[in-house]
Amino acid sequence: MPSTSPPGTKLQCRSVWKLFGEGAGAALAESGGSLTSEQLLSAQLIGAVRDVDLDVREGEIFVIMGLSGSGKSTLVRCMSRLIEPTSGEILFNGENLLQASPARMIEIRRHQMGMVFQHFALLPHLTVLGNVAFPLEIQGVSRRTREERALKMIELVGLEGREGFFPNELSGGQQQRVGIARSLSVEPEIWFLDEPFSALDPLIRREMQDEFIRLQAVLKKTIVFITHDFDEAIRLADRIAIMKDGAVVQIGTPEELVINPADDYVAEFTLNVTKSKVVRVGSIMKPLPKRAPSGGYGQDVAASARVAEVAPLFDDSSNLLRVVDEDGGPAGCISRDDVVRVMMQA
Ligand SMILES: Nc1ncnc2c1ncn2[C@@H]1O[C@H](COP(=O)(O)OP(=O)(O)OP(=O)(O)O)[C@@H](O)[C@H]1O
Ligand SMILES: [Mg+2]
């Protein structure tokens, strides 16, 4: 299978469009492959996904964020071809999924993709064990093997002891865990989660996020995670794509979005973020002065540390801290004023 994606890329979207409405494909083709908002409106088409280009890298948590109706669910469904894109390319491990046969697509979805849907449903007549083992049953895995693997997943999401319960005997958060365990049972290469925690109350939601971070530290999956909650996005994401009206307006690390929002729409999301908890020392450090300050440097700090973490390290005797890179080599310095400036920005 020829790989046309850059190394380390798991999934790529190239100029992906999904239009709803009659004659969408023809209208897009006629226009030469691109329609403006005005053209869509006059053709009575809905631009659910508009010209999206993005790469999801091996092992990262890639978050897609945007207001309700911005096209997140449609885009993630296009990635597994549960929704057929109107045009564009989806490359998975370098293979163009839009050219894959229906049988090949079923095989890929069953064996290589895990999905947790926004409004997921457990099978009410099956126990926790039955639900989690269900995707393996579809694969034709023997009962013994699938139950063994399902029990492992149930333990992983913290539901051991509850494998014999039925869905209606579980809380919302517990049901969500079953959905997560179920999507993991096939050991997917890529894991799509569409707002998996949005129905949960804030405390449980935070708990689930913590657990998700813990799970990912063990599993190291390639993840596409959808949310409309920016706080959730910056807690979980390696990188975030921000969607608006079907288009991706910015892709970056949480820090890049907070420091350099591309437009007012992105800036609005970052308004209530405590900048010092997101911004890393490395992005605001200055070059080391030629001569060390008379009082010397305080303690060394890592370039990857957050500004809020290093603030307490300034004491009466130190106004300047030396910043070191991953290998412990000198990378720059950070002053008390630099830190105060970030801390003042909410
Ligand atoms: N089957 C469909 N037919 C027509 N329009 C659709 C269809 N599915 C989605 N849309 C429209 O496409 C746009 C994007 O919808 P989508 O469900 O992808 O948004 P979303 O970002 O996931 O929103 P939410 O946060 O509410 O889940 C919306 O305007 C929606 O009304
Ligand atoms: Mg959605």
Side-chain angles (χ1 to χ4, degrees), residues 9-13 52-65 75-76 79 190-194 212 216 221-227 232-233 236-243 248 250-254:
T9 304
K10 194 77 194 166
L11 185 126
Q12 258 189 317
C13 295
V52 167
D53 279 295
L54 57 84
D55 295 358
V56 180
R57 299 173 191 153
E58 188 106 44
E60 79 171 331
I61 302 184
F62 188 91
V63 171
I64 301 175
M65 223 295 300
L75 177 59
V76 81
M79 289 176 178
I190 189 159
W191 195 17
F192 300 111
L193 299 109
D194 189 352
F212 185 75
Q216 171 64 350
K221 297 268 178 220
T222 304
I223 296 174
V224 178
F225 188 106
I226 293 184
T227 181
E232 182 164 271
L236 302 180
D238 291 305
R239 291 187 305 144
I240 303 174
I242 307 262
M243 284 190 84
V248 169
Q250 188 171 11
I251 298 178
T253 62

Side-chain angles (χ1 to χ4, degrees), residues 20-328:
F20 289 106
E22 223 165 291
L28 192 60
E30 249 169 54
S31 70
S34 181
L35 286 166
T36 62
S37 310
E38 294 73 32
Q39 289 170 321
L40 288 171
L41 203 63
S42 72
Q44 294 189 315
L45 297 173
I46 294 170
V49 172
R50 296 191 295 141
D51 202 14
V52 167
D53 279 295
L54 57 84
D55 295 358
V56 180
R57 299 173 191 153
E58 188 106 44
E60 79 171 331
I61 302 184
F62 188 91
V63 171
I64 301 175
M65 223 295 300
L67 298 179
S68 182
S70 57
K72 308 177 298 292
S73 294
T74 307
L75 177 59
V76 81
R77 281 181 157 78
C78 283
M79 289 176 178
S80 57
R81 254 184 92 187
L82 286 175
I83 288 182
E84 195 69 30
T86 309
S87 73
E89 283 184 351
I90 311 276
L91 302 174
F92 176 58
N93 292 329
E95 177 180 359
N96 188 355
L97 295 188
L98 302 193
Q99 280 161 14
S101 67
R104 171 80 185 128
M105 264 332 295
I106 289 173
E107 182 182 298
I108 292 174
R109 277 192 221 110
R110 275 196 193 156
H111 294 273
Q112 292 170 286
M113 295 176 164
M115 297 175 209
V116 178
F117 293 109
Q118 188 167 6
H119 304 290
F120 80 102
L122 299 176
L123 299 163
H125 59 289
L126 292 184
T127 61
V128 167
L129 183 64
N131 266 285
V132 175
F134 189 68
L136 297 170
E137 193 175 340
I138 290 180
Q139 279 187 12
V141 174
S142 76
R143 184 184 193 109
R144 202 192 144 128
T145 311
R146 68 180 189 244
E147 292 194 344
E148 255 172 33
R149 212 186 297 165
L151 280 173
K152 222 186 272 168
M153 295 305 151
I154 290 167
E155 193 187 324
L156 203 59
V157 299
L159 282 180
E160 63 272 39
R162 289 210 161 75
E163 47 284 335
F165 284 44
F166 286 92
N168 66 3
E169 299 171 311
L170 301 173
S171 73
Q174 288 167 337
Q175 291 183 31
Q176 204 69 355
R177 283 167 212 250
V178 178
I180 286 171
R182 180 174 65 182
S183 70
L184 284 173
S185 66
V186 301
E187 299 177 354
E189 280 176 43
I190 189 159
W191 195 17
F192 300 111
L193 299 109
D194 189 352
E195 308 217 24
F197 309 143
S198 56
L200 305 175
D201 64 58
L203 266 180
I204 307 219
R205 184 172 183 151
R206 230 180 140 77
E207 226 171 76
M208 292 294 288
Q209 290 166 358
D210 287 338
E211 229 164 277
F212 185 75
I213 293 168
R214 180 186 61 77
L215 260 180
Q216 171 64 350
V218 180
L219 299 171
K220 300 190 169 57
K221 297 268 178 220
T222 304
I223 296 174
V224 178
F225 188 106
I226 293 184
T227 181
H228 59 247
D229 175 353
F230 193 67
D231 284 332
E232 182 164 271
I234 58 175
R235 279 198 86 197
L236 302 180
D238 291 305
R239 291 187 305 144
I240 303 174
I242 307 262
M243 284 190 84
K244 183 189 180 196
D245 301 333
V248 169
V249 291
Q250 188 171 11
I251 298 178
T253 62
E255 190 183 13
E256 283 163 353
L257 299 188
V258 167
I259 296 177
N260 253 329
D263 63 10
D264 290 347
Y265 177 77
V266 182
E268 186 80 18
F269 289 122
T270 67
L271 266 186
N272 297 318
V273 173
T274 309
K275 309 271 186 299
S276 57
K277 288 189 182 163
V278 178
V279 176
R280 293 177 197 274
V281 168
S283 16
I284 59 160
M285 68 185 179
K286 307 244 164 68
L288 276 170
K290 286 210 178 69
R291 274 196 295 165
S294 53
Y297 295 106
Q299 179 174 347
D300 282 356
V301 296
S304 60
R306 313 276 179 189
V307 170
E309 293 163 5
V310 307
L313 302 179
F314 289 94
D315 55 30
D316 292 342
S317 62
S318 57
N319 280 312
L320 210 57
L321 304 182
R322 209 167 62 125
V323 180
V324 293
D325 59 23
E326 267 169 51
D327 310 320

